[in-house]
Amino acid sequence: MTATVPATVRLANEIAVQFHHRDPDAAAAEIATHLRSFWEPRMLTALYAHVDAGGDGLDDLAVAAARRLRAGG
Amino acid sequence: MSLLREPDFGTPAREGAATVELTVDGIAVAVAPGTSVMRAAKQAGVDIPKLCATDSLEAFGSCRLCVVEIDGARGTPASCTTPVSDGMAVRTQTEKLGRLRRGVMELYISDHPLDCLTCSANGDCELQDMAGVTGLREVRYGSGVDAGANHLDAPKDTSNPYFDFDASKCIVCSRCVRACDEVQGTFALTIDGRGFDSKVAAGAGGSFMESDCVSCGACVQACPTATLQERSVVELGMPTRSVVTTCAYCGVGCSFKAELRGDELVRMVPYKDGGANEGHSCVKGRFAFGYADHPDRVLAPMVRDSIADPWREVSWEEAIGFTARRLREIQAEHGVGSIGGITSSRTTNEEVYVVQKMVRAVFGNNNVDTCARVCHSPTGYGLKQTFGTSAGTQDFRSVARSDVILVIGANPTDAHPVFASRMKRRLREGAKLIVIDPRRISLVRSPHIEAAHHLQLAPGTNVAVVNAFSHVVVTEGLADREFVAQRCEGYEEWAEFIAGEEHSPEAAEEITGVPAAELRAAARLYATGGNGAIYYGLGVTEHSQGSTMVMGMANLAMATGNIGRDGVGVNPLRGQNNVQGSCDMGSFPHELPGYRHVGDDDVRGIYEHLWGVDLQDEPGLRIPNMFDAATEGSFRALFVQGEDIAQSDPNTQHVHAALAALDLLVVQDLFVNETAKFAHVLLPGTSFLEKDGTFTNAERRINRVRPVMRPRTGKHEWEIVCELSQAMGYPMHYESSAQIMDEIALTTPTFAGVSFEHLDRVGSVQWPCNEAAPNGTPIMHQDGFVRGLGRFVETVYVPTSERSTRKFPLILTTGRILSQYNVGAQTRRTANVAWHPEDLLELHPHDAEVRGIRDGDLVALSSRVGRTTLRALLSDRMPVGVCYTTFHHPVTGANVITTENSDWATNCPEYKVTAVQVALTTEQASVREELARDRTRVGS
Amino acid sequence: MKVYVPRDSAARSVGADEVAERLETLADGHDVTVVRTGTRGMLWLEPLVEVDTPHGRVGYGPVAPEDVDGLVAAGLFEGRGEHLGLVEDLPWLRRQNRVTFARVGVVDPRSAEDFTAHGGGAGLRAALARTPAQVVEEVVESGLRGRGGAGFPTGIKWRTVLGAEADQKFVCCNADEGDSGTFADRMLMEGDPFTLVEGMTIAGYAVGASEGYVYVRSEYPDAVEALESAIATARALGWLGDRVLGTDFAFDLHVRVGAGAYICGEETAMLESLEGKRGTVRSKPPIPALEGLFRRPTVVNNVLSLASVPMILADGAPAYAALGTGRSRGTSVFQLGGNIARGGVVETPFGMTLGELVNDLGGGTASGRPVRAMQVGGPLGAYVPATQFDLSLDYESFAEAGAMLGHGGVVVFDDTVDMAAMARFAFSFCAEESCGKCTPCRVGAVRGVETIDRIRTGQDRERNLVLLDDLCELMTDGSLCAMGGLTPMPVRSAVRHFGADFGIPEPATTTNGGRS
């Protein structure tokens, strides 16, 4: 059951998979834009924390997007 | 206002300029070509007697009362069936005509009970009126023992819960039959027999309830006598005053005349001037208003410290004070972001606006969301990305100009019946129909309608289908290159993307199960068949790729140039009366009113200046995020306006756990709903009959909701929100809801021209309504897209993670039925239960047989998250492997089954795809017991 | 050697099949062929057996099956024995001018060769050699008027259909011959179906229609069979189909059978029925010529109108227009029935008097009693008293006399008839057959029966006579179609001419019966 996966990870992965066909840089940028537009700060905080903790189970594109977003872009 | 009687022009209006000039009794009038003499006369101010004619129906010419004389023409033609011609001189009153009309009336009355004084239609009977108008003074054909053949003993049919059919009063004008055919499109009624034995019959001669009748009321509306009469009128008598208002059921937003005696509502009569419905109605809006005075209504505020405690009725002051204090305490302890609110799509724009204002200005965060989250949030996202604004492109009337109608994931005959009737009328006129739906919805084959293509796709594969359509358009050279070049951007890249083999119909066949040839044929039809219009519903949005699909449809429409004029477009059929409005009003956590992002400093500045507070510039929590945060502990209090999230939201166990974890749950509702069982404060709400404000329907039409009666709770809902805000220390005050709309207009460019005064003057307007479009905008993106150029977005098909397994081998999809509405809070408290006393599980006979299930058996339905029981209905409308249910009854608990999966962009739940197993069962397991068990599990 | 025995259903009903069978048995071994034809329309002579002789066909009749052996023994196969003489020389036929019925009773209705040998197909060939507009004008010039009863100029109707723009047009033949005392349509369809096929094909070519329907009443199974057979043969011969007679003109025909409703003889009710709907009357406008079958421009003509067209095209409009009188051009086909000595079909140019028809041709009543009244034009036609024997049989004279020719049915009554009962019958027929759509007809017909009953039993007679007249005016001027509109015609004519039967004291002060 997916309940063991944190909600933020599940949601970020669901976004990331939509951009798998794109060039990774462009994809990460689009995902970052999406997250900035729609995610509440505490969700972003949880996502960053998960990335910091090794990003277990998190889509690579989501990791890239989170890093990019935290860096302000 | 006294009783509003709308003029009846006898025959429908004809389009075109008033170029035909004629005189009627010497009065000159000019009308459009094709207009009937009867209608022209009415326009000249001359009433010609009539009985079988009414302006919602094509002329029939049977009663022969409307005969006229025309200079230079032989005989006495019927004015209803005679079209005008230039220079015609019509006489409507001559000695001969008077004689003929009296003769006709004498025949009618010779076979009619002479009980006017005790008749339920007394005062509202066209037969009675015509007897007067024609000067009938005696009936010479005998009466009493000397009476001739008659139908005075004809039986009465009282099978329908809302209206009676008294055949003894029938004058066989066929208006009911024609209304059922022409207006509603159900063809349930007929004239049985011939000559003097002709009589109205429902279906094959059984009762109305046994027939195909959908109880829309069109026949009752059309009947000129007491033959078809609302039972409420039979029981209460004729109403004496009218209030024009807007229905509170689906997103069609029908206008009604609420007709009252004193403050007692007698009946709801569809309003001919209503832009959305033009005089038509469905069983819900027309008849199912009884919930408003149902004994279950909560009329006084209630409070309790813990959900284990019983409710305490308290004063408004105490309830509001308690709520304010607790909210502030929780914020003090857990932070500004620990509380939030949910607005309702069933309340008015004004009521929604003040709740989002309270959250942003008083709570100090953006934790406001709306129930549109769980229905049309992907529409908002998808259309904004591609067209630039979150709304359907057309008015309802537009469908009358469509040549190819693409219905995707929508079941309009059940969920949007009044619009469906318009659509069916156009289809009967010859427009082609393509249905994309796993189920064979009734539109696929109904009287005089047959879909050209029914693409019975596997649930969850919409995007593969729409991509295949676009692939055909691009690779077969069917794109409208001129439109694309002038109006859009990103076409070339998108075209290259969509031309990829993985988007071909052949590839899609593998995914969707729809034959490639059928996909190609349907795509060609849409692209080349003239005006192509897309209508869609929650079968598009409530998927893991709901937003992708919305963008896919937008791509398809742009590529074929089917945007920006009459007859085309991309149109969401909104589920609830004010989904559009609640979204427009800034209910989304990332958007201020008018779909403007909270991160936009200029927009925020407008509100900060007006409201005198600083506003958060980052998005707040969406409903599912709120539940997640509540379970995890950072979200502690929720104000829920008129939505039963405990029943309507997916994965009930998860929702219940979240609600149970809250420190404070405030519910504003008409009833102690399922959510209220977790609440600490219950603020009684008002029904639509008590509201004063506006609803915005699926075509962006802002309709007035006028108070039919005073709030039974003593307070308008917006007043409660203002008082709560004040109690929390923020001065929020409005004199009236009109003043709230003034603030909306002041701050929202698309609403700049809207005011109650303007609406009362023009009836309704479709936004954008501003200086550039003072009377609104029926069709959007005519000269350019709202975002400038239409944007093509690459829509890759990503299968949902929810798929059938050995353990859960079937796919469950959910939907609505005509007589019931949403979670049933309203309709279950009306006689509509006669049609749908319980939710059923529809499954294919094959799937049933292998499980040993027979029609009507009790079955257990289980998914990876839950289990419920309901009765099976075997139906070959379902494809093998797919089953279907509705969620109208709480006891069913359909959402116990649905999962946490959601649309990737908006978190709109994936209600339409759940892997399930179905098995025979003998225990009528109570959902509530199961939930109790689940709750302990979550808690442990 | 050929022997001719009608296969017409009227002849069959009096034993023609048995006669033919016996003849065939006896012909075995002789050089004799038994040919089944239509009927000559001399019903009192049926079964009428004809035998080829060098001078023409001689007739034997009526021949009962048991007469056959004796007649053959007496030399029937050689045209000898006691016979009626040359059939063509029988006074009944000599006084006629058979144009539309020229081949009926003469040819084998199943044989395309026979049809062609007797001049069939010439009209279609002539038509296809001209433009559609020229064909229409030829029909206009002929003066042909609708033989179904209304008498509307056929060519003018065609002109409207030709001028209408549409993706498809239709030709519909109204063969729902429901008027009591009429049978000419049936006789033509059974006796010379190829003529109708030819006429409809010409109509299709003239107006630009690609499809035609013949709507035949269910009571006419033999006619249906004859038409089906003719259509199948015509298709096989290329007279119908994608390339009619090798031209680019495509036309096909279908037979549709009604379900026993008189009202379906009304053209718009017939169209509804053809569309598969309940047979109720449509209001006009729109006229069928512009919006007919499936809302497409449609020629709706009676069997006799369409069957007259081939001769008009073959011989030219002037030849047809030379016949007749006044604005009634060409020939009309009358059907003599009721109490009549010699019933049958009489085709004659317009202008013969009613008396000539009934007395000279029909031989007066079968009962031998004096003729009292004749109902002309079907059950909705007026009752003409014997005092008007000199009335000319043409549209205008009849209209002037408050009567109508209709479809040409003449039903004769002797002096024992109760005209009030006949008037009552008119209403009760209307009540029985009304589609029920319009009020004057639906309710009025029933009230008419009741009112006449009151008059006949002397209840409030004066008052009820006024009411009856009011009702008649209402139905005439207020009904949706001719069904209700014409029902008062027999009623009013009965009251006007036979007031005594209604208890109206003689002499009536107003001889025009209160007609306004």
Side-chain angles (χ1 to χ4, degrees):
Chain A
M1 213 167 121
T2 48
T4 53
V5 183
T8 40
V9 173
R10 177 172 54 82
L11 297 174
N13 285 349
E14 282 171 9
I15 297 167
V17 69
Q18 306 294 324
F19 295 90
H20 276 184
H21 68 293
R22 304 283 297 276
D23 160 77
D25 270 355
E30 287 225 31
I31 297 166
T33 306
H34 184 88
L35 294 177
R36 192 175 49 239
S37 302
F38 298 104
W39 278 35
E40 203 257 0
R42 81 188 84 168
M43 295 168 68
L44 290 175
T45 308
L47 181 66
Y48 300 155
H50 192 80
V51 171
D52 290 344
D56 185 31
L58 193 58
D59 190 296
D60 288 347
L61 284 179
V63 172
R67 295 212 168 107
R68 197 185 180 102
L69 193 55
R70 187 148 51 159
Chain B
M1 192 192 284
S2 57
L3 203 65
L4 178 64
R5 293 200 194 274
E6 295 169 271
D8 184 348
F9 288 84
T11 65
R14 292 287 177 252
E15 285 182 17
T19 53
V20 182
E21 294 179 10
L22 66 155
T23 63
V24 180
D25 295 336
I27 304 166
V29 63
V31 295
T35 303
S36 71
V37 167
M38 175 182 280
R39 190 176 177 98
K42 180 76 180 171
Q43 280 179 233
V46 176
D47 281 313
I48 298 175
K50 62 182 178 56
L51 274 171
C52 74
T54 188
D55 57 14
S56 60
L57 305 172
E58 290 300 327
F60 194 57
S62 77
C63 75
R64 317 310 290 173
L65 269 183
C66 73
V67 288
V68 292
E69 290 181 39
I70 296 171
D71 286 2
R74 275 178 53 225
T76 50
S79 61
C80 63
T81 56
T82 305
V84 294
S85 60
D86 214 29
M88 202 180 237
V90 179
R91 275 166 297 143
T92 73
Q93 297 292 347
T94 66
E95 202 227 319
K96 180 180 181 76
L97 294 173
R99 221 165 44 233
L100 290 178
R101 289 177 187 145
R102 269 192 304 282
V104 169
M105 284 311 298
E106 190 176 10
L107 289 177
Y108 272 127
I109 303 305
S110 75
D111 186 18
H112 197 83
L114 296 175
D115 62 352
C116 285
L117 287 179
T118 53
C119 177
S120 63
N122 191 10
D124 185 25
C125 172
E126 294 180 38
L127 188 69
Q128 195 178 42
D129 295 345
M130 288 308 114
V133 163
T134 57
L136 181 70
R137 292 294 171 260
E138 85 180 307
V139 175
R140 297 167 291 173
Y141 291 110
S143 58
V145 289
D146 206 22
N150 61 66
H151 299 87
L152 303 186
D153 295 325
K156 204 178 207 177
D157 178 349
T158 57
S159 61
N160 186 291
Y162 295 119
F163 60 82
D164 293 345
F165 173 68
D166 183 351
S168 72
K169 293 185 171 168
C170 180
I171 59 168
V172 205
C173 63
S174 293
R175 274 164 65 163
C176 55
V177 178
R178 291 181 287 138
C180 193
D181 297 355
E182 295 175 31
V183 177
Q184 167 57 25
T186 292
F187 295 81
L189 303 181
T190 187
I191 298 287
D192 204 20
R194 71 177 190 220
F196 195 66
D197 297 330
S198 303
K199 61 172 199 279
V200 172
S207 70
F208 270 69
M209 274 307 263
E210 290 161 333
S211 75
D212 290 338
C213 168
V214 293
S215 200
C216 69
C219 57
V220 179
Q221 189 61 12
C223 182
T225 68
T227 309
L228 280 157
Q229 181 89 69
E230 298 90 349
R231 188 152 318 135
S232 59
V233 173
V234 176
E235 286 169 359
L236 300 171
M238 274 298 154
T240 54
R241 68 182 178 99
S242 319
V243 179
V244 176
T245 189
T246 304
C247 177
Y249 282 112
C250 77
V252 174
C254 297
S255 297
F256 279 90
K257 294 182 288 184
E259 296 192 343
L260 302 103
R261 278 194 342 160
D263 62 353
E264 183 174 33
L265 180 58
V266 177
R267 64 178 172 185
M268 296 288 282
V269 179
Y271 188 46
K272 288 204 281 193
D273 264 356
N277 57 319
E278 296 179 306
H280 191 33
S281 59
C282 81
V283 61
K284 296 188 285 285
R286 179 74 151 92
F287 296 116
F289 52 83
Y291 69 88
D293 61 1
H294 194 277
D296 285 354
R297 272 285 294 274
V298 179
L299 299 174
M302 301 196 294
V303 164
R304 59 185 174 184
D305 291 321
S306 141
I307 61 170
D309 295 340
W311 285 109
R312 264 188 312 123
E313 251 187 45
V314 296
S315 68
W316 277 110
E317 290 71 23
E318 187 179 342
I320 287 166
F322 175 84
T323 309
R325 191 179 72 248
R326 292 290 294 126
L327 286 170
R328 283 301 188 216
E329 282 169 6
I330 290 165
Q331 277 190 308
E333 194 177 337
H334 298 283
V336 168
S338 63
I339 68 172
I342 297 177
T343 70
S344 170
S345 294
R346 297 193 203 172
T347 55
T348 62
N349 287 317
E350 295 72 18
E351 287 164 337
V352 169
Y353 180 85
V354 293
V355 170
Q356 66 87 32
K357 177 174 176 179
M358 174 175 75
V359 172
R360 298 189 204 281
V362 188
F363 293 5
N365 60 43
N366 282 319
N367 292 335
V368 61
D369 206 356
T370 177
C371 53
R373 174 64 55 209
V374 303
C375 67
H376 266 293
S377 52
T379 293
Y381 178 87
L383 296 184
K384 176 124 197 210
Q385 292 288 320
T386 47
F387 298 160
T389 194
S390 303
T393 60
Q394 311 297 115
D395 58 355
F396 287 147
R397 254 179 225 130
S398 162
V399 77
R401 292 264 184 276
S402 300
D403 301 311
V404 180
I405 299 173
L406 191 50
V407 176
I408 311 179
N411 183 12
T413 47
D414 278 285
H416 304 91
V418 171
F419 174 69
S421 290
R422 280 185 192 262
M423 185 186 273
K424 291 202 286 187
R425 180 186 288 232
R426 180 60 186 158
L427 291 169
R428 289 196 302 275
E429 286 170 358
K432 300 282 189 292
L433 172 67
I434 302 169
V435 172
I436 302 180
D437 203 298
R439 267 198 335 148
R440 194 181 68 233
I441 57 170
S442 50
L443 202 54
V444 170
R445 193 172 302 148
S446 61
H448 305 287
I449 292 172
E450 174 131 31
H453 301 283
H454 176 205
L455 311 183
Q456 211 163 0
L457 77 178
T461 64
N462 283 330
V463 173
V465 168
V466 81
N467 282 352
F469 268 60
S470 289
H471 177 92
V472 171
V473 167
V474 167
T475 58
E476 295 189 5
L478 308 177
D480 184 342
R481 299 305 298 263
E482 195 185 326
F483 179 88
V484 166
Q486 286 174 4
R487 303 278 310 270
C488 306
E489 65 183 7
Y491 176 76
E492 297 304 331
E493 298 86 332
W494 173 79
E496 195 182 322
F497 161 85
I498 207 74
E501 263 317 295
E502 69 275 24
H503 303 307
S504 69
E506 290 68 26
E509 176 174 344
E510 295 290 306
I511 299 165
T512 63
V514 180
E518 185 90 9
L519 282 167
R520 280 194 187 275
R524 287 172 191 148
L525 176 61
Y526 172 77
T528 63
N531 283 342
I534 298 175
Y535 291 89
Y536 70 95
L538 303 184
V540 157
T541 55
E542 290 177 347
H543 283 284
S544 65
Q545 281 203 299
S547 293
T548 313
M549 180 61 186
V550 172
M551 295 187 290
M553 295 185 303
N555 290 338
L556 177 64
M558 288 190 291
T560 50
N562 279 316
I563 285 287
R565 60 176 194 279
D566 218 0
V568 299
V570 178
N571 301 285
L573 295 171
R574 306 279 187 170
Q576 303 202 40
N577 52 326
N578 202 33
V579 179
Q580 182 70 54
S582 72
C583 298
D584 298 342
M585 291 301 106
S587 291
F588 287 135
H590 66 290
E591 279 172 345
L592 287 158
Y595 304 101
R596 293 166 297 168
H597 201 273
V598 292
D600 184 326
D601 294 343
D602 291 342
V603 175
R604 227 173 39 257
I606 297 171
Y607 291 96
E608 287 178 338
H609 176 73
L610 187 72
W611 296 348
V613 289
D614 286 341
L615 297 178
Q616 291 273 355
D617 63 354
E618 288 180 307
L621 293 168
R622 301 166 172 182
I623 292 172
N625 310 147
M626 291 178 190
F627 294 151
D628 291 341
T631 332
E632 150 253 310
S634 69
F635 190 74
R636 318 289 297 204
L638 180 61
F639 178 98
V640 183
Q641 175 189 35
E643 190 193 353
D644 195 2
I645 47 180
Q647 197 190 339
S648 64
D649 284 31
N651 194 357
T652 310
Q653 297 86 322
H654 180 62
V655 174
H656 287 194
L659 296 178
L662 292 171
D663 294 340
L664 177 70
L665 177 60
V666 184
V667 166
Q668 189 172 38
D669 207 289
L670 301 183
F671 305 106
V672 181
N673 59 20
E674 297 298 305
T675 309
K677 289 169 184 157
F678 298 89
H680 305 86
V681 179
L682 189 71
L683 303 174
T686 51
S687 78
F688 78 112
L689 296 171
E690 298 143 59
K691 292 183 190 299
D692 185 6
T694 57
F695 290 151
T696 306
N697 76 355
E699 45 164 5
R700 296 169 281 104
R701 186 183 300 280
I702 306 164
N703 275 312
R704 277 283 276 124
V705 183
R706 294 187 181 83
V708 173
M709 54 189 72
R710 281 194 305 250
R712 296 185 63 207
T713 58
K715 273 190 203 303
H716 284 293
E717 291 192 25
W718 59 266
E719 288 179 305
I720 301 164
V721 174
C722 289
E723 287 175 20
L724 178 58
S725 298
Q726 302 232 23
M728 289 179 76
Y730 178 85
M732 195 191 294
H733 177 79
Y734 298 98
E735 292 296 331
S736 65
S737 50
Q739 214 180 18
I740 305 175
M741 179 51 84
D742 291 343
E743 182 172 317
I744 296 165
L746 182 71
T747 55
T748 315
T750 45
F751 277 70
V754 182
S755 67
F756 281 19
E757 185 272 327
H758 186 58
L759 291 173
D760 289 341
R761 202 173 55 238
V762 301
S764 63
V765 293
Q766 290 171 267
W767 68 256
C769 172
N770 45 34
E771 227 169 79
N775 288 317
T777 311
I779 295 171
M780 295 196 81
H781 318 300
Q782 293 206 63
D783 301 315
F785 283 95
V786 168
R787 71 181 296 282
L789 294 173
R791 173 172 166 243
F792 281 93
V793 176
E794 295 179 13
T795 52
V796 77
Y797 167 67
V798 178
T800 168
S801 60
E802 185 75 13
R803 50 192 92 169
S804 52
T805 60
R806 280 180 57 176
K807 197 166 169 208
F808 300 109
L810 300 174
I811 295 293
L812 172 75
T813 185
T814 58
R816 278 189 195 175
I817 199 163
L818 172 69
S819 58
Q820 295 292 324
Y821 179 68
N822 210 280
V823 297
Q826 294 140 290
T827 44
R828 278 185 287 109
R829 292 183 171 95
T830 68
N832 276 28
V833 289
W835 287 276
H836 188 75
E838 60 179 330
D839 291 321
L840 301 169
L841 183 76
E842 272 189 57
L843 76 171
H844 191 275
H846 173 80
D847 290 328
E849 197 186 332
V850 298
R851 290 168 175 77
I853 296 167
R854 285 161 311 169
D855 205 55
D857 281 350
L858 202 58
V859 296
L861 173 68
S862 52
S863 74
R864 62 184 165 84
V865 304
R867 179 175 184 275
T868 186
T869 54
L870 63 179
R871 281 188 195 285
L873 171 67
L874 307 199
S875 156
D876 65 358
R877 297 204 305 173
M878 308 305 304
V880 173
V882 180
C883 53
Y884 171 87
T885 191
T886 49
F887 54 96
H888 301 308
H889 291 269
V891 65
T892 315
N895 282 322
V896 170
I897 304 302
T898 52
T899 71
E900 74 288 353
N901 278 15
S902 66
D903 171 46
W904 65 272
T906 65
N907 295 155
C908 178
E910 190 183 35
Y911 287 110
K912 302 293 184 183
V913 186
T914 309
V916 294
Q917 178 58 293
V918 179
L920 265 179
T921 185
T922 47
E923 51 161 335
Q924 171 84 67
S926 151
V927 172
R928 231 159 269 137
E929 278 170 36
E930 300 225 352
L931 287 180
R933 232 180 300 143
D934 286 336
R935 216 174 301 149
T936 6
R937 211 159 48 221
V938 171
S940 61
Chain C
M1 242 303 296
K2 286 179 179 167
V3 176
Y4 304 88
V5 185
R7 63 185 308 157
D8 181 273
S9 44
R12 291 177 58 206
S13 70
V14 290
D17 285 349
E18 292 77 6
V19 169
E21 236 168 74
R22 190 65 202 148
L23 282 167
E24 270 169 7
T25 308
L26 297 176
D28 198 24
H30 296 78
D31 179 24
V32 170
T33 318
V34 178
V35 177
R36 303 298 299 271
T37 61
T39 175
R40 296 276 191 170
M42 296 177 284
L43 295 177
W44 72 99
L45 291 178
E46 292 294 359
L48 171 66
V49 176
E50 298 181 30
V51 179
D52 266 340
T53 72
H55 313 287
R57 295 185 190 175
V58 295
Y60 299 79
V63 178
E66 57 273 20
D67 298 340
V68 174
D69 286 21
L71 285 167
V72 170
L76 179 139
F77 287 153
E78 292 78 38
R80 290 183 286 109
E82 194 182 332
H83 57 66
L84 301 165
L86 289 174
V87 176
E88 301 282 351
D89 284 345
L90 292 174
W92 168 275
L93 277 178
R94 285 190 69 85
R95 289 200 60 168
Q96 300 195 30
N97 185 346
R98 290 202 160 182
V99 177
T100 309
F101 269 67
R103 282 185 292 269
V104 179
V106 177
V107 299
D108 172 2
R110 293 291 188 278
S111 166
E113 299 90 66
D114 216 2
F115 170 72
T116 315
H118 285 82
L124 178 58
R125 279 194 304 278
L128 291 175
R130 301 172 211 193
T131 65
Q134 285 170 335
V135 176
V136 169
E137 293 316 310
E138 191 82 31
V139 176
V140 173
E141 202 188 316
S142 75
L144 176 65
R145 289 166 67 176
R147 299 292 187 245
F152 187 84
T154 304
I156 304 290
K157 189 185 278 184
W158 289 18
R159 203 188 266 162
T160 307
V161 180
L162 174 63
E165 301 235 342
D167 55 349
Q168 189 166 20
K169 298 178 188 177
F170 295 102
V171 175
C172 290
C173 172
N174 186 344
D176 191 64
E177 188 176 42
D179 283 353
S180 46
T182 62
F183 40 79
D185 292 351
R186 179 185 62 69
M187 284 184 174
L188 185 114
M189 290 186 287
E190 290 184 16
D192 188 13
F194 286 106
T195 292
L196 182 57
V197 171
E198 184 183 359
M200 290 184 72
T201 310
I202 293 169
Y205 175 74
V207 303
S210 57
E211 226 175 299
Y213 289 88
V214 190
Y215 186 88
V216 189
R217 65 193 306 228
S218 58
E219 292 85 344
Y220 284 0
D222 288 9
V224 171
E225 198 192 327
L227 282 170
E228 300 273 20
S229 161
I231 289 169
T233 306
R235 282 192 193 124
L237 293 171
W239 297 356
L240 289 174
D242 290 343
R243 299 181 56 80
V244 172
L245 296 185
T247 65
D248 287 341
F249 170 56
F251 189 74
D252 202 4
L253 270 183
H254 310 277
V255 176
R256 292 287 181 270
V257 181
Y262 176 76
I263 195 61
C264 289
E266 196 282 336
E267 62 174 353
T268 62
M270 180 194 80
L271 293 171
E272 290 281 299
S273 178
L274 273 174
E275 291 179 10
K277 299 179 191 154
R278 202 179 126 76
T280 56
V281 175
R282 290 181 190 168
S283 51
K284 293 185 270 193
I287 55 172
L290 294 173
E291 284 184 42
L293 188 63
F294 300 110
R295 303 278 155 194
R296 301 298 195 288
T298 302
V299 167
V300 182
N301 279 147
N302 173 253
V303 174
L304 299 183
S305 314
L306 288 163
S308 300
V309 166
M311 284 67 175
I312 291 170
L313 269 294
D315 302 339
Y320 191 80
L323 304 170
T325 175
R327 284 174 39 233
S328 303
R329 308 311 313 176
T331 60
S332 188
V333 180
F334 298 101
Q335 300 119 79
L336 280 173
N339 190 344
I340 187 92
R342 296 194 291 266
V345 157
V346 177
E347 181 175 0
T348 163
F350 289 100
M352 181 184 268
T353 68
L354 187 56
E356 285 175 284
L357 180 69
V358 171
N359 294 325
D360 300 358
L361 280 147
T365 61
S367 61
R369 301 184 65 90
V371 173
R372 186 171 188 227
M374 292 146 288
Q375 188 175 30
V376 183
L380 308 180
Y383 288 100
V384 181
T387 51
Q388 294 184 5
F389 270 143
D390 56 350
L391 201 55
S392 165
L393 288 162
D394 63 77
Y395 294 118
E396 285 68 32
S397 303
F398 265 62
E400 210 174 302
M404 64 173 193
L405 283 187
H407 188 47
V410 179
V411 178
V412 179
F413 299 86
D414 71 13
D415 61 355
T416 61
V417 66
D418 174 355
M419 292 308 293
M422 300 317 293
R424 183 188 193 278
F425 172 76
F427 276 126
S428 102
F429 178 79
C430 180
E432 184 67 31
E433 298 293 350
S434 165
C435 78
K437 183 167 173 177
C438 77
T439 317
C441 180
R442 183 183 72 247
V443 187
V446 171
R447 296 291 173 251
V449 171
E450 294 163 0
T451 304
I452 289 188
D453 283 346
R454 291 194 182 107
I455 291 168
R456 290 179 78 200
T457 55
Q459 283 180 64
D460 250 341
R461 182 172 283 140
E462 293 279 306
R463 191 165 171 269
N464 277 309
L465 279 166
V466 174
L467 178 58
L468 180 68
D469 198 54
D470 287 353
L471 176 62
C472 284
E473 184 197 11
L474 173 63
M475 289 182 71
T476 303
D477 295 336
S479 295
L480 180 56
C481 81
M483 171 92 222
L486 292 178
T487 293
M489 193 175 262
V491 176
R492 286 180 137 171
S493 60
V495 175
R496 181 160 69 242
H497 299 299
F498 309 97
D501 293 17
F502 296 83
I504 299 170
E506 310 256 7
T509 45
T510 54
T511 48
N512 70 354
R515 238 182 107 76
S516 54

